[in-house]
Amino acid sequence: MSGYAMESATPAEIGTQALPPSDQWSTAPVVPAPVCRFENFLGAERAGTLLSYAISREADFHAGTVLDPLSGQVSHKGRSSLVLPVTSSVFSAHLADCLPLVQEILGHRAALTQTLTVLTSHGEGGHYGIHTDASRVRDVGTALSAVYYLHRKPRGFGGGRLRLYDTVLADGGARPAESYRTIEPEHDTIVFFPAGAFHEVVPSTCPSGHFADHRFTLTTWISGTEPGATESGDPFRIWPWLAHAAERTRPLADVEHDHDGASPIALPAADPATRLTLPTPRRTP
């Protein structure tokens, strides 16, 4: 027999003397933003070629900007990075082929028809403070943000991680939470998330100081041509809350030109032969 005394099988009650009653609930739900990430997105050869292209265009990059939603003024406040507006039919085709799967995973049913893309570079001290991508799209409630990462191996920079913030739902409204998930900027990976989600790029270091050792991305905003261009069916329930939380970051008037100089291009249709789909689960015999 055990040398320990047996405990009583009668449960103890924790009553109002230990926990005083409350007239109302004090908790507020904290909801994580939906996110989808792919590895080996372009493949080693194409990713290497794209990285070489980005490095070769060093002289053409310029300082990235932010748009104040109230005043409409363009500044560099809260951001230190270099940008180069680009377009790529090859990259757009890859996006189109994976978007049906991305939308299925994220519970997203908006009709996506165009993209806006910039190459970005973060070196020593590079960062982008907490923000949404509301200034990049007409309808932040239905648009997607996609960040594709490129860098040399071994990595020549430190930091530069993406923080994707949760959303607090309280008092009939929504706001960014203090909690977040961290996404590593791994070469040839891409991450998709709602354009209305609050996120930031933490400061990076680049000991060599060489442009080729920077953290590079292709950052793309994917949206519909018209606001509210949705297909039949209800969107994932968190999307309207994310849009509500991002409302104060949305420009009061439609912006005719992107503040980093990017131009929208049409999103091609997914190729049935190369379109990504979820694998069929194997049945247990």
Side-chain angles (χ1 to χ4, degrees), residues 81-125:
S81 63
L82 300 174
V83 300
L84 174 64
V86 294
T87 61
S88 170
S89 59
V90 173
F91 188 71
S92 294
H94 274 68
L95 287 176
D97 283 348
C98 75
L99 275 176
L101 177 55
V102 171
Q103 290 184 280
E104 182 177 354
I105 292 172
L106 300 186
H108 181 268
R109 296 181 180 89
L112 301 173
T113 58
Q114 67 180 26
T115 63
L116 194 73
T117 304
V118 296
L119 263 171
T120 73
S121 168
H122 287 73
E124 183 66 32

Side-chain angles (χ1 to χ4, degrees), residues 257-273:
H257 304 286
D258 178 72
H259 49 89
D260 279 330
S263 299
I265 63 171
L267 182 70
D271 187 337

Side-chain angles (χ1 to χ4, degrees), residues 63-79:
T65 60
V66 297
L67 179 67
D68 186 279
L70 296 178
S71 67
Q73 296 296 312
V74 175
S75 71
H76 305 287
K77 184 179 180 180
R79 183 181 187 185

Side-chain angles (χ1 to χ4, degrees), residues 162-176:
L162 174 68
R163 286 181 177 174
L164 187 61
Y165 284 82
D166 301 334
T167 299
V168 177
L169 312 182
D171 302 322
R175 57 178 171 81

Side-chain angles (χ1 to χ4, degrees), residues 103 107-111 141-142 228-237 239-240:
Q103 290 184 280
H108 181 268
R109 296 181 180 89
T142 60
T230 58
E231 298 177 354
S232 60
D234 294 330
F236 185 45
R237 292 183 182 275
W239 287 75

